[in-house]
Amino acid sequence: MKRTESVELTVLCLLCDGDRILLQNRVKKDWKGYTLPGGHVESGESFVAAVKREMREETGLEIVAPHLCGIKQFPMSDGGRYLVILFRAERFSGTLTSSEEGEMVWVSRSELPNLPTVADFAELLSVFDDATLSEFQYTRNETGGWDVHLF
């Protein structure tokens, strides 16, 4: 069995302001809808530096002391793995701006059921909110569809 594989590294951040969370209304066709901001980790970049940079680029905000909450992963069609490092932050400074990735909006948690979120948003949010969970994994099932596993 091969012990290494190609991995695409990304980060997402749940930024909280009291009862509100910061969401991005993604405009790209893949994973469309309201979700958390984030993006790719650059070669040689630490995960913390990546989440700070991505938040600055996509939101205009400087986050302070992001902490690791878990991971999300799924197999890529080329046999590699897509890995999303999940962070949470409560402290930030700056002025909120949007980017070409999508409009940034503060949303009360009570508003979430009324928003067209990305398909797996509830499961994703559960990893941030439930201290007993640290991993969100997609696997392919026998019919070619996806199964979700939360650990």
Side-chain angles (χ1 to χ4, degrees):
M1 173 182 246
K2 189 174 176 184
R3 294 182 58 148
T4 62
E5 64 184 316
S6 65
V7 177
E8 191 164 339
L9 297 171
T10 62
V11 292
L12 280 181
C13 186
L14 174 66
L15 184 58
C16 302
D17 183 26
D19 182 46
R20 302 182 314 160
I21 61 174
L22 187 61
L23 296 181
Q24 181 180 69
N25 188 8
R26 283 181 51 93
V27 295
K28 289 185 177 179
K29 295 200 185 306
D30 67 322
W31 213 42
K32 191 174 175 114
Y34 286 88
T35 191
L36 303 174
H40 285 85
V41 177
E42 295 177 358
S43 180
E45 186 176 39
S46 77
F47 299 135
V48 171
V51 75
K52 287 181 175 184
R53 176 186 50 75
E54 284 291 343
M55 291 298 285
R56 185 175 51 257
E57 290 175 359
E58 294 191 10
T59 73
L61 302 176
E62 296 285 337
I63 61 171
V64 177
H67 58 274
L68 184 64
C69 293
I71 59 172
K72 176 182 175 183
Q73 62 174 312
F74 54 90
M76 294 188 297
S77 58
D78 67 1
R81 185 185 309 227
Y82 195 95
L83 187 63
V84 186
I85 312 298
L86 306 176
F87 286 90
R88 181 184 188 115
E90 290 85 23
R91 297 179 6 219
F92 60 92
S93 63
T95 302
L96 183 63
T97 59
S98 295
S99 73
E100 68 275 355
E101 300 281 334
E103 179 188 10
M104 302 304 306
V105 293
W106 286 105
V107 176
S108 166
R109 286 197 178 237
S110 63
E111 297 174 74
L112 289 175
N114 303 323
L115 289 176
T117 57
V118 295
D120 61 4
F121 190 74
E123 293 89 348
L124 179 64
L125 199 56
S126 68
V127 175
F128 288 97
D129 291 340
D130 186 340
T132 66
L133 296 175
S134 61
E135 185 174 355
F136 177 144
Q137 182 186 29
Y138 276 112
T139 56
R140 286 278 184 195
N141 59 35
E142 295 166 358
T143 64
W146 294 102
D147 289 331
V148 171
H149 309 276
L150 298 176
F151 304 101

